[in-house]
């Protein structure tokens, strides 16, 4: 997943929680952190004072902590986002726009958009969407089992009925 896609994911998550979009500086800070830049580099590149960038970054990381429900720091931003993108595949909640964004493996920090996931592609048919959701559910359940979670824990974490989790064994 590349930086523009990650920024889109974060912006949508922030908007869902706060009804506000990320501003340009917040987006630049996130991109800079993902690219391994220091605050001084971000401030120099975009013409802000280092102190201002540091202040806005602190507020941004606190906001992201609130949005994602876990502490977000400069040092763990990438892993938090990767986890949230994968866990953002929730079932039965209003977070439906991210259900097909899973399995990023590693974050690609290049600025050119990937052709693998295009938000401007043709709309999916309901049948394809359901197949995609089911495949995502199976992959997520299998991944959580590999982490040692019980079926009950998986059902609770994904907010789905236990019998749905149990059916994954039957479906394979």
């Amino acid at each position: 997943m590349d930086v523009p896609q990650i920024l889109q994911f974060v912006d949508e998550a922030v908007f869902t929680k706060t009804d506000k979009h990320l501003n340009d500086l917040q987006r630049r800070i996130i991109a800079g952190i993902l690219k391994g830049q220091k605050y001084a580099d971000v401030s120099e590149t975009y013409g802000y004072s280092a102190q201002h960038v540091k202040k806005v970054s602190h507020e941004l990381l606190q906001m992201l902590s609130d949005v994602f429900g876990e502490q977000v720091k400069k040092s763990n931003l990438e892993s938090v986002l990767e986890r949230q993108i994968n866990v953002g595949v929730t079932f039965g909640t209003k977070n439906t726009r991210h259900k097909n964004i899973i399995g990023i493996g590693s974050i690609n920090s290049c600025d050119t958009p990937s052709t693998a996931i295009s938000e401007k592609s043709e709309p999916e048919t309901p049948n394809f969407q359901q197949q995609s959701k089911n495949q995502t559910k199976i992959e997520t359940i299998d991944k959580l089992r590999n982490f040692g979670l019980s079926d009950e824990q998986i059902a609770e974490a994904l907010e789905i009925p236990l019998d749905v989790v149990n059916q994954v064994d039957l479906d394979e």
Side-chain angles (χ1 to χ4, degrees), residues 2 11 22 43 52 60 76 88-89 106 114 123 129 141 149 166:
D2 58 24
D11 186 63
L22 295 173
S43 67
H52 181 66
L60 172 64
N76 73 349
V89 183
S106 65
S114 168
Q129 286 178 337
I141 291 170
L149 270 65
N166 292 334

Side-chain angles (χ1 to χ4, degrees), residues 4-22:
Q5 291 170 318
I6 294 167
L7 290 172
Q8 182 67 30
F9 170 82
V10 174
D11 186 63
E12 288 178 9
V14 167
F15 184 77
T16 298
K17 190 86 167 186
T18 66
D19 288 331
K20 294 180 182 177
H21 289 283
L22 295 173

